Amino acid sequence: MLAYLIRRLGAVIVMVLVVLLTTFVIFYMLPKWAGQDLAVLFAGKNSGAEQLEGIRQKLGLSDPLLVQFAEFVKGIPFGRDFGSGNNVTHCPSPCLGYSFRTEAPVWETIKDALPVTAAMAVGAAVLWLLGGVAVGVVSALKRGSIWDRSAMVVALSGVSMPIFFTGMIAMGIFVHSLGWLHIDDSLSSNDSIGTWVETLILPWIVLAFLQAAMYARLTRATMLEVLGEDYIRTARAKGVTEPVVIRRHALRSTMTPILTVFGLDLGILMGGAILTETTFNLPGLGREAVQAIDGKDLPMILGVTLCMSLAIAFANLIVDLMYAVIDPRVRLG
Amino acid sequence: MTAPMHDTTTDVDEPAPVAAEATAESKAKKVEGRSLKQIAWNRLKQDKVALAGGIVVVLLVVVSVFAPVLVSLFGHPPNEGNLDQLEDLTNLPKGALGGISGDHLFGVEPNTGRDVFSRIVYGARISMLVAVLAAAVAVVLGTLFGIIAGYFGGWVDAIISRVMDVLLSFPQLLFIIALVSVLPDDLLGLSGSGVRIATLVLVIGLFGWPYIGRIVRGQTLSLREREYVEAARSLGGGSRHILFRELLPNLVAPITVYTTLMIPTNILTEAALSFLGAGVRPPTASWGGMLRDALSVYEHDPMFMVFPGLAIFLTVLAFNLFGDGLRDALDPKGTR
């Protein structure tokens, strides 16, 4: 188990480095090929030649690309000093550089935005898994009923709705027309749990609606297949009550393919988070990313990409560990 | 698993059981071998929901192709501001429901007074163009790499599979927005909105091919062990012949299904990019861009949000229904 964990962690780190290198090369090389100067992006178009040279020196923009990348990676665990001589700015670990736009350390901004995105993504994921599986199980047990058929219709509508459209409708109804909820666009760790829940409840539902119904269909199909297996008949034959058969025997193996799909959908969850944050104007990573991209703020883009790919990689690791918890037939190692 | 498609135009000799079994299922009186194509068509004809989806898709293609004609008949030029249709103080459309009238079928835009109907029609063009071309890029790349990975196996497979894994584990949307925003405005000798469309097609296609690639690879893995492949090889067929003349025709069914299911995903991606401001440049009309404009005014003028939203929803739903029906029709076992 421990060996497996270490091996998987190693794989996660390699994966994140590959994603990071790709991002780095693309965002630092493409502007260069397109004839844009990074120092100009940093300092603004009206800066003098001397000032630009200073920035190049300080940020090490004249170094070979791989050296720049190595410096960047080294800064994450150890911190980094920009400039030389008397003019040194120390960027403490974890150093992701300074924003071109606000000149604030990237990590500080990310640290403030991360809890919002994390709370939104985790809440929505829990809601879509629980909701999807619950509806799917009921559909499977009441096959062919009106309930079953409407679940299928809702499933297709769910995946066909652009999330920002659903979000605007939800906000129009519950925030602007009925006035039941108040969306706070400056969520911080000082706010009470009540404020967080009130602000995030609509984003959770909107984001979960996108996929929950699809999971209901998948759960239904798998459940029906599993219920036909021999070991279910055996369990029933030895006198296990029906709810226990469903919960302990059928549901466990139904969850395995659901988890696999969930691992693949994490990217969709992250993309959905960006769109939901923009729609609801929430101060999370997605909004930071969109602002950074509008302002061609490369260090910020890199930092957010790093965070999101780390999140996806770790969530996948957790998914893999969950297999062993849910399905006793799975052996890790 | 999807059974290989028997295509009468190629001389691939696929054993008869598949066709025979399916014929027995359908209530045909003559016991004759029918190709899977015919069987699929018969099934599709009976699936009313899928047919409805298909009809909407055809309609959309017609609308996009004949956009200028439609607009000259029922609308106003898409970028023409009809300021006389707006209230003086608020810049909101005059009249109820966002200014819907016989002259402006879907009303006018707040602030600019542009005709919503013609912008929806021209938006369909952008959506369809980007989605279909990006799907084409993804299908070509996915089929090529998938079939090569599945057939040759070994290190070739290992490399291609890892590349697909990496692409699938990217925070894609974020990456696409960022990429679109740093790409230069003059690319491949194109200019204006053509550049953005080309960029969108390439980037969406580039991130989409692993989905097709995985499926093609999986199918190829099982197909390459079939007798007809062995027969072709023993008759002296080279790799290229086996890949593209023997295997590819048998992969047409799953590729068709997943292409149909990929187009709606691409439409949503294009809309999302335009919504985030990384799509086609204004004033070119796009559905996502209209929703972006609507975000700041929908409290006061909800109708302006409804039309582009419904347009995206109906288009994506139609493609999904058609794709689902196609999958059921082409898949004799119907696993889902």
Side-chain angles (χ1 to χ4, degrees):
Chain A
M1 180 71 191
L2 190 66
Y4 172 81
L5 208 61
I6 292 171
R7 210 170 54 231
R8 279 302 311 265
L9 274 178
V12 165
I13 291 171
V14 171
M15 188 73 146
V16 169
L17 277 179
V18 169
V19 170
L20 204 58
L21 181 62
T22 319
T23 319
F24 197 87
V25 169
I26 288 174
F27 292 119
Y28 280 74
M29 286 318 282
L30 270 183
K32 214 174 250 179
W33 293 330
Q36 285 170 315
D37 191 336
L38 286 179
V40 177
L41 279 181
F42 181 74
K45 284 203 170 75
N46 303 322
S47 333
E50 207 169 301
Q51 198 185 349
L52 289 180
E53 193 48 44
I55 288 165
R56 262 182 223 121
Q57 287 277 316
K58 191 159 181 173
L59 298 181
L61 291 177
S62 321
D63 292 338
L65 191 74
L66 277 176
V67 175
Q68 288 189 47
F69 182 66
E71 286 286 321
F72 176 81
V73 173
K74 215 175 79 187
I76 298 171
F78 301 116
R80 189 175 169 188
D81 290 320
F82 285 103
S84 52
N86 304 331
N87 185 17
V88 172
T89 320
H90 180 70
C91 166
S93 154
C95 174
L96 297 170
Y98 291 89
S99 161
F100 280 4
R101 203 164 38 96
T102 62
E103 303 197 8
V106 169
W107 173 243
E108 292 296 317
T109 315
I110 287 182
K111 209 171 60 183
D112 291 340
L114 195 60
V116 177
T117 308
M120 192 170 69
V122 172
V126 168
L127 205 62
W128 102 22
L129 273 177
L130 286 184
V133 171
V135 172
V137 169
V138 175
S139 283
L141 297 179
K142 303 194 171 181
R143 184 151 49 127
S145 65
I146 181 84
W147 169 271
D148 183 20
R149 291 187 73 85
S150 37
M152 145 110 189
V153 173
V154 175
L156 270 176
S157 320
V159 286
S160 303
M161 284 283 255
I163 194 163
F164 35 96
F165 183 48
T166 331
M168 278 196 252
I169 294 175
M171 205 148 61
I173 293 174
F174 293 106
V175 179
H176 298 307
S177 297
L178 298 174
W180 289 358
L181 294 165
H182 173 74
I183 300 270
D184 204 335
D185 62 3
S186 62
L187 213 51
S188 81
S189 48
N190 299 327
D191 290 316
S192 68
I193 293 183
T195 316
W196 277 71
V197 171
E198 189 181 354
T199 305
L200 288 177
I201 185 107
L202 277 186
W204 281 338
I205 293 173
V206 165
L207 197 48
F209 179 64
L210 178 74
Q211 293 290 333
M214 221 51 213
Y215 280 64
R217 282 181 75 191
L218 185 59
T219 308
R220 176 188 180 277
T222 322
M223 190 82 178
L224 286 176
E225 220 166 274
V226 171
L227 283 176
E229 299 269 351
D230 288 346
Y231 71 89
I232 297 291
R233 198 179 51 192
T234 311
R236 282 182 180 145
K238 70 182 186 189
V240 178
T241 58
E242 195 61 20
V244 178
V245 171
I246 303 294
R247 269 205 322 272
R248 290 194 50 103
H249 297 267
L251 200 53
R252 276 178 177 237
S253 37
T254 306
M255 282 309 284
T256 316
I258 305 279
L259 271 182
T260 310
V261 178
F262 183 65
L264 290 173
D265 279 350
L266 286 167
I268 296 181
L269 179 67
M270 286 296 161
I274 297 177
L275 289 168
T276 316
E277 276 170 22
T278 311
T279 315
F280 288 90
N281 198 18
L282 296 174
L285 280 183
R287 201 174 71 175
E288 285 302 333
V290 172
Q291 280 173 2
I293 287 160
D294 278 347
K296 304 215 163 161
D297 186 352
L298 298 178
M300 201 66 208
I301 296 175
L302 207 56
V304 175
T305 312
L306 172 67
C307 263
M308 290 208 165
S309 35
L310 261 180
I312 292 179
F314 271 108
N316 262 313
L317 183 61
I318 295 173
V319 165
D320 281 359
L321 294 178
M322 290 290 282
Y323 282 137
V325 177
I326 284 171
D327 194 334
R329 289 172 302 188
V330 174
R331 296 273 172 272
L332 299 177
Chain B
M1 193 180 298
T2 311
M5 181 161 175
H6 186 265
D7 193 334
T8 43
T9 55
T10 60
D11 50 11
V12 179
D13 213 68
E14 177 52 31
V18 177
E21 172 194 321
T23 317
E25 261 173 39
S26 63
K27 292 154 194 156
K29 281 176 186 158
K30 286 183 288 180
V31 188
E32 269 176 24
R34 270 188 293 169
S35 73
L36 187 67
K37 217 184 227 168
Q38 289 168 304
I39 296 165
W41 174 237
N42 283 339
R43 285 192 194 165
L44 198 61
K45 270 196 298 196
Q46 284 170 6
D47 190 345
K48 293 283 179 302
V49 180
L51 270 191
I55 290 170
V56 174
V57 168
V58 172
L59 223 64
L60 273 162
V61 173
V62 172
V63 166
S64 337
V65 171
F66 293 103
V69 183
L70 274 175
V71 165
S72 68
L73 284 177
F74 302 108
H76 300 255
N79 293 329
E80 178 191 88
N82 306 290
L83 293 175
D84 54 315
Q85 299 290 319
L86 299 177
E87 301 279 359
D88 288 338
L89 279 175
T90 56
N91 273 337
L92 293 174
K94 279 180 189 166
L97 296 173
I100 292 180
S101 64
D103 197 26
H104 297 278
L105 295 174
F106 291 175
V108 292
E109 276 188 8
N111 294 324
T112 58
R114 292 179 294 200
D115 186 38
V116 174
F117 173 77
S118 48
R119 291 187 73 75
I120 292 280
V121 168
Y122 271 92
R125 271 195 149 176
I126 299 288
S127 271
M128 298 294 268
L129 192 68
V130 171
V132 171
L133 288 182
V137 171
V139 167
V140 170
L141 288 176
T143 307
L144 190 66
F145 286 118
I147 208 170
I148 287 174
Y151 182 71
F152 291 108
W155 61 270
V156 179
D157 181 27
I159 292 177
I160 293 176
S161 294
R162 283 299 85 72
V163 171
M164 292 198 285
D165 285 349
V166 169
L167 278 174
L168 287 173
S169 67
F170 262 55
Q172 286 196 10
L173 189 69
L174 173 70
F175 207 78
I176 295 178
I177 332 167
L179 204 57
V180 170
S181 68
V182 291
L183 280 175
D185 285 338
D186 47 342
L187 196 75
L188 311 168
L190 290 164
S191 63
S193 62
V195 183
R196 268 303 168 92
I197 292 174
T199 317
L200 288 172
V201 165
L202 286 179
V203 173
I204 297 176
L206 215 60
F207 277 98
W209 73 261
Y211 292 97
I212 300 270
R214 279 196 167 185
I215 287 150
V216 170
R217 175 183 169 271
Q219 294 284 312
T220 311
L221 276 180
S222 70
L223 285 182
R224 71 168 185 197
E225 306 297 337
R226 293 291 188 87
E227 289 84 352
Y228 70 90
V229 176
E230 207 175 314
R233 207 180 292 133
S234 59
L235 286 172
S239 292
R240 197 190 296 176
H241 173 83
I242 293 175
L243 283 181
F244 297 108
R245 305 295 302 223
E246 304 286 341
L247 288 173
L248 193 57
N250 287 295
L251 289 166
V252 169
I255 293 174
T256 316
V257 169
Y258 282 94
T259 311
T260 332
L261 290 174
M262 184 173 236
I263 292 174
T265 316
N266 289 351
I267 291 178
L268 283 178
T269 310
E270 187 273 328
L273 288 174
S274 302
F275 177 74
L276 293 172
V280 286
R281 290 255 169 83
T284 308
S286 71
W287 294 342
M290 292 174 83
L291 280 173
R292 176 187 171 86
D293 294 341
L295 188 57
S296 53
V297 292
Y298 74 96
E299 268 175 71
H300 311 290
D301 181 13
M303 283 319 272
F304 178 41
M305 158 190 103
V306 167
F307 285 110
L310 274 185
I312 299 174
F313 173 62
L314 291 178
T315 310
V316 174
L317 187 65
F319 269 105
N320 276 333
L321 289 173
F322 182 65
D324 264 13
L326 202 61
R327 176 171 56 195
D328 293 344
L330 285 171
D331 183 355
K333 288 187 190 108
T335 49
R336 197 164 159 179

